[in-house]
Amino acid sequence: MTSLAAVSSYLPPTIPVEQLREPLGLTDQQVRRFTRLYGLDRICQAPAQSEAELLTAAAEKLEALAGQEDRVRYVVRAKGLRTTAPYPVSPLQQVREALGLHRATVFSVADHGCATGLLAVDAAGTLLAADGDPDALALVLAGDKTFTPFSQWVEDVSIMGEGVSAVLVGAGGDRDRVLGYHARIHGREDGVIDLDPEGARDAKRIYQDAMAEVVLGALDRAGLGIADLDLVLPHNVNRVSWTVAAAHLGIPRDRIFLENIARTGHCFCADPFINYQSARELGLLRPGDRYLMTSAGLGQSFAAMVLEH
């Protein structure tokens, strides 16, 4: 059974939303919406660090990786964005060399937007199970650089941060075991993921039902119900979307971890893992607790994963 052997995050320094008014061309109304309504306050920014440096910083914090480099069979880059570096630069290969993971096969998964992190964990677990080596590991690297105007914010939805996570995945283990995973894409036939006015209206219309579909699907595969969840670790898109989702799904508000929305911004597909690390540090997860990770991304992609701590 797939498990999270270790999780670490690297959070760069933050700047207040107000300082992004001019760079992003935000109006006074948009600043108020992001801060007062959506709960965003500070955004992780690392202008002096490359994507490879960010990802390496997160992976180097994995104490469980030290001395176990030869056990890593796969390094999986979970990309919230389709393109994260100009050709022929390969941040993933740079990270592999920096960490000394010479036996690992490296590849990226994308096109699930900010739901790609959970997809990468599922893919890593599937590959490890097929290998049949109980000692083999995979390293999932999640999070993106906001190096283009398109990637810096989603208009009237969220502002993107550059926090990243490293997740060491095993094929077995008795801690943080994956009990169920479900994903669904409600994409356009032409493959366009930009939120033009029509796309934005469609995303808003289906969001709550689509999120409920994957949450209930993951719970069904785990043989559990909403009442069995001790904690929800969501993507940090904004406070309003999760206030509505909690009511829609019947999840008590105090079981949803939203504290990082104000501290980091929406860090692409790294959010659930950043929230996991914070929850552990705060003592919110006890052995045997069942918890839910969720994500949604541009292109109408949705994913949910149920785990047992």
Side-chain angles (χ1 to χ4, degrees):
M1 180 178 288
T2 303
S3 65
L4 310 186
V7 177
S8 66
S9 298
Y10 173 69
L11 301 179
T14 61
I15 63 172
V17 170
E18 176 64 34
Q19 288 187 18
L20 294 170
R21 178 194 299 268
E22 184 175 344
L24 298 183
L26 302 177
T27 65
D28 290 343
Q29 182 181 23
Q30 286 171 322
V31 170
R32 287 194 299 269
R33 180 182 297 117
F34 281 129
T35 55
R36 299 180 188 178
L37 182 62
Y38 290 172
L40 297 165
D41 181 28
R42 304 189 67 86
I43 311 297
C44 288
Q45 295 274 301
Q49 290 179 284
S50 68
E51 178 180 321
E53 289 171 335
L54 289 173
L55 297 173
T56 301
E60 286 179 339
K61 295 171 70 176
L62 285 171
E63 295 181 3
L65 179 60
Q68 305 299 318
E69 290 83 358
D70 286 347
R71 293 174 57 192
V72 178
R73 299 289 186 269
Y74 303 97
V75 179
V76 187
R77 176 74 175 97
K79 294 166 60 176
L81 301 169
R82 288 174 172 173
T83 303
T84 60
Y87 179 83
V89 176
S90 175
L92 185 55
Q93 293 288 353
Q94 293 173 351
V95 174
R96 177 194 180 208
E97 292 304 312
L99 298 177
L101 304 177
H102 304 299
R103 297 186 61 188
T105 299
V106 300
F107 64 95
S108 296
V109 291
D111 282 339
H112 279 229
C114 294
T116 306
L118 298 181
L119 169 68
V121 170
D122 182 66
T126 299
L127 288 169
L128 291 172
D131 281 352
D133 181 355
D135 294 324
L137 298 168
L139 176 63
V140 172
L141 302 169
D144 289 274
K145 281 286 294 182
T146 57
F147 65 98
T148 66
F150 169 81
S151 66
Q152 291 175 345
W153 70 310
V154 181
E155 187 172 354
D156 296 334
V157 175
S158 196
I159 300 176
M160 312 306 290
E162 294 184 333
V164 296
S165 289
V167 184
L168 205 57
V169 179
D174 56 3
R175 203 81 183 266
D176 293 308
R177 298 177 303 125
V178 177
L179 305 181
Y181 168 72
H182 189 59
R184 174 81 184 277
I185 296 179
H186 299 264
R188 291 169 43 161
E189 292 183 357
D190 58 11
V192 172
I193 64 172
D194 296 0
L195 276 183
D196 55 23
E198 179 184 355
R201 286 192 298 270
D202 189 49
K204 185 176 181 180
R205 177 181 61 82
I206 73 167
Y207 184 90
Q208 294 299 337
D209 287 340
M211 180 58 70
E213 176 191 4
V214 295
V215 168
L216 296 176
L219 284 167
D220 182 64
R221 295 183 182 191
L224 301 172
I226 290 289
D228 297 309
L229 291 174
D230 296 288
L231 190 63
V232 177
L233 304 175
H235 53 299
N236 298 331
V237 59
N238 64 58
R239 184 172 57 202
V240 170
S241 67
W242 273 104
T243 300
V244 176
H248 188 64
L249 287 162
I251 301 174
R253 167 64 180 80
D254 61 1
R255 293 188 191 175
I256 303 179
F257 186 83
L258 299 177
E259 282 76 356
N260 281 333
I261 289 176
R263 296 177 57 238
T264 65
H266 178 21
C267 297
F268 298 91
C269 52
D271 280 344
F273 310 113
I274 293 172
N275 289 338
Y276 167 88
Q277 186 173 12
S278 294
R280 284 206 63 180
E281 291 171 352
L282 292 170
L284 300 180
L285 283 172
R286 299 162 299 180
D289 279 357
R290 278 79 173 267
Y291 61 98
L292 174 76
M293 290 184 170
T294 66
S295 284
L298 291 180
Q300 316 286 30
S301 59
F302 297 83
M305 182 173 283
V306 179
L307 304 97
E308 182 176 65
H309 189 54

